[in-house]
Amino acid sequence: MLDENRKHYDALETRSADERAADQLVGLNAQLASHGMAALSSLADLAGLPVLRKSELVARQAEQPPFGGLPVTNLAHVFQSPGPIYEPGGVSHDWWRMGRFLHAVGIGPGDVVQNCFGYHLTPAGMIFESGARAVGAAVLPAGVGQTELQVRAARDVGCTAYAGTPDYLKVILDKAEEMGVALSFTRAAVGGGALFPSLRKEYADRGIACLQCYATADLGNIAYESEAMEGMIVDEGVIVEIVRPGTGDPVAPGEVGEVVVTTLNPDYPLIRFATGDLSAVMPGESPCGRTNMRIKGWMGRADQTTKIKGMFVRPEQVAELVARHPEVRRARVIASREGEMDVMKVQVEAEGIGAAELSDSVAAVLKLRGQVEIVAPGSLPNDGKVIDDQRKYD
C-alpha cells in the first residue's frame, strides 16, 4: 500500500466542491479565450455551448488538416485513430493526466510497467508511458502480441506492473504458466475494454490488484477507479457533463446519458466533446477521500442510430420530438419485427396530451408512422436509451 502521506496524487484530489468549481471556471474561460469565445460566469453556463461530435471533428479535419482548425500548441506527436481522426500529443509532464490513475493503482518509483497498449499510430501506448514517467516508474514498451517474448521480457526485466486491456494480462499469465515462468506482477492498470468482476477476481487470486480507467485518444484520462472501487472518480483536468443522447442538455443527477467532456489542457482545448459513451453520475464522494464527482463507468453507446423501414432514425430526431411538446418529458423509440415487417413503437412519458396528437409529430419528425404509447412519467428505464432496437438478426 502507499504511504499514507502519499495516498493522493496531489492536493487537487481533495479540494472542496467550491474550490474545484472556481478553479475549473478559470481554466474553462482560458480555453474559451483560445477559441475566441466569450467568458462564462459559471460552469452551469457551459451547457449553453454547442456539443462537438466526432463526426463533426472528422469533417472539420478533412477541411482543415490535421486538427480541424482547433488551436493546438506545443505539438510533439501526431496520432491517428479510426475515422480517421488525428490527435495531437505533447511531451510535457503528464500531458494526458494518466499519472493520477497509475498513482491510485499504487504504481510508483521502483516499479517496472509492462506497457501492452499499442504504440503504432494510436496514442494509447504513449498515454500510459507518459503516466508511468509522471509517477517515477520505468517502462517496458511491449505493445501488443508476441506473447512468449513478452513473458520472457517480463521475467528478465522484473516487471512489477501491467498496463493494457483487461483481458491481455490473462493471456500473458496463462502463457507464463504454460512455460513454467514465474512473473512478478502485483499491480494492473487497465482500460480500453470491459473489466468483468470474474476477471478482476482471477487477478486478485493471483496476487494482482487490478483497477481500470476511462480514457480516450482525444481527451486522455477522463475518470478512474481508486482502491475503494466504488465507481470512477472524474479526473481533475476535465469537466464532465452527462447529457441526453442527441442533445447537449444535461440530465438529472443519476440519470443515464451521454458523457460530454471539456478538457482543461491548454495545448488541445476541446470544448464539450461528445464521447458517444453512456454513463451516469453517482451520488456522494468516494470513501478513498477523493472529492471529485464520480460516474458509474461505461454503460453502453449513445449513438443509437438505426434504420427502420429503410429510414434512419437518430437520437437527435427523438430529442426534437420531445422538444416540440412541453407536456412530454422523455421518449423512447422501439424497433421490432412482426413476421418480416419492421414495426416502430414510440413510448412517451407525458401528461395532458393524447397519442393522436403525438402521432402527427412522430410522422413529421421521424418521417415514419408508428404506434404511440403514453406512459406514466418516470416509467421508462434509466438506461440512456432513446432508440431501442429489439430486432434479432441471427
Side-chain angles (χ1 to χ4, degrees), residues 121-182:
L121 283 180
T122 59
M126 291 298 292
I127 287 174
F128 275 78
E129 179 164 319
S130 174
R133 192 177 301 117
V135 297
V139 174
L140 174 68
V144 181
Q146 297 183 295
T147 306
E148 189 170 318
L149 287 176
Q150 296 229 23
V151 169
R152 289 176 176 166
R155 176 197 61 192
D156 295 344
V157 174
C159 292
T160 57
Y162 165 89
T165 57
D167 52 356
Y168 190 55
L169 175 57
K170 177 173 166 55
V171 175
I172 293 175
L173 295 173
D174 289 349
K175 176 60 73 172
E177 199 170 83
E178 177 188 314
M179 295 168 61
V181 172

Side-chain angles (χ1 to χ4, degrees), residues 255-272:
E255 189 173 332
V256 177
E258 183 176 10
V259 179
V260 170
V261 181
T262 297
T263 74
L264 301 178
N265 177 356
D267 293 342
Y268 189 36
L270 287 172
I271 308 297
R272 300 203 85 200

Side-chain angles (χ1 to χ4, degrees), residues 4-330:
E4 188 63 25
N5 293 328
R6 287 185 47 80
K7 182 178 180 181
H8 300 118
Y9 188 65
D10 55 29
L12 299 180
E13 294 183 352
T14 55
R15 286 181 290 182
S16 70
D18 289 344
E19 287 176 310
R20 182 174 288 108
D23 291 345
Q24 287 183 338
L25 182 60
V26 172
L28 171 60
N29 283 331
Q31 301 291 69
L32 294 174
S34 71
H35 283 270
M37 301 169 68
L40 301 179
S41 58
S42 74
L43 293 180
D45 295 336
L46 184 59
L49 299 181
V51 167
L52 174 62
R53 300 198 171 275
K54 287 194 176 186
S55 57
E56 182 185 347
L57 187 56
V58 170
R60 288 176 59 167
Q61 289 188 353
E63 293 173 0
Q64 301 180 70
F67 303 122
L70 294 178
V72 173
T73 56
N74 297 316
L75 180 67
H77 296 106
V78 179
F79 300 99
Q80 184 197 70
S81 295
I85 293 177
Y86 294 95
E87 299 104 2
V91 291
S92 58
H93 178 76
D94 207 8
W95 198 83
W96 287 277
R97 308 173 314 281
M98 194 54 66
R100 189 175 302 283
F101 167 52
L102 297 186
H103 182 85
V105 177
I107 297 172
D111 281 308
V112 180
V113 180
Q114 185 153 341
N115 186 4
C116 294
F117 282 105
Y119 281 80
H120 179 65
L121 283 180
T122 59
M126 291 298 292
I127 287 174
F128 275 78
E129 179 164 319
S130 174
R133 192 177 301 117
V135 297
V139 174
L140 174 68
V144 181
Q146 297 183 295
T147 306
E148 189 170 318
L149 287 176
Q150 296 229 23
V151 169
R152 289 176 176 166
R155 176 197 61 192
D156 295 344
V157 174
C159 292
T160 57
Y162 165 89
T165 57
D167 52 356
Y168 190 55
L169 175 57
K170 177 173 166 55
V171 175
I172 293 175
L173 295 173
D174 289 349
K175 176 60 73 172
E177 199 170 83
E178 177 188 314
M179 295 168 61
V181 172
L183 300 181
S184 303
F185 293 122
T186 61
R187 303 279 177 180
V190 303
L195 174 58
F196 296 101
S198 58
L199 187 57
R200 195 199 302 259
K201 182 179 184 304
E202 180 173 340
Y203 293 150
D205 291 343
R206 292 170 122 160
I208 301 170
C210 182
L211 298 179
Q212 62 185 326
C213 72
Y214 169 39
T216 73
D218 321 89
L219 299 159
N221 193 25
I222 298 170
Y224 61 99
E225 286 186 318
S226 71
E227 67 272 18
M229 288 191 287
E230 290 190 10
M232 289 188 164
I233 302 158
V234 171
D235 183 77
E236 297 296 333
V238 296
I239 301 169
V240 169
E241 302 169 86
I242 307 294
V243 308
R244 194 165 311 287
T247 76
D249 302 329
V251 299
E255 189 173 332
V256 177
E258 183 176 10
V259 179
V260 170
V261 181
T262 297
T263 74
L264 301 178
N265 177 356
D267 293 342
Y268 189 36
L270 287 172
I271 308 297
R272 300 203 85 200
F273 187 75
T275 64
D277 296 323
L278 294 175
S279 193
V281 173
M282 294 178 63
E285 295 178 359
S286 173
C288 70
R290 294 171 176 87
T291 56
N292 207 349
M293 180 176 81
R294 296 179 297 167
I295 59 175
K296 290 185 177 179
W298 189 82
M299 300 177 70
R301 292 293 294 169
D303 184 6
Q304 300 152 25
T305 298
T306 192
K307 187 179 281 189
I308 305 173
K309 299 179 182 179
M311 296 290 291
F312 280 110
V313 178
R314 295 179 167 84
E316 292 85 350
Q317 292 170 285
V318 182
E320 182 183 344
L321 173 66
V322 173
R324 281 192 173 205
H325 301 278
E327 303 92 342
V328 174
R329 181 167 174 261
R330 297 169 65 198

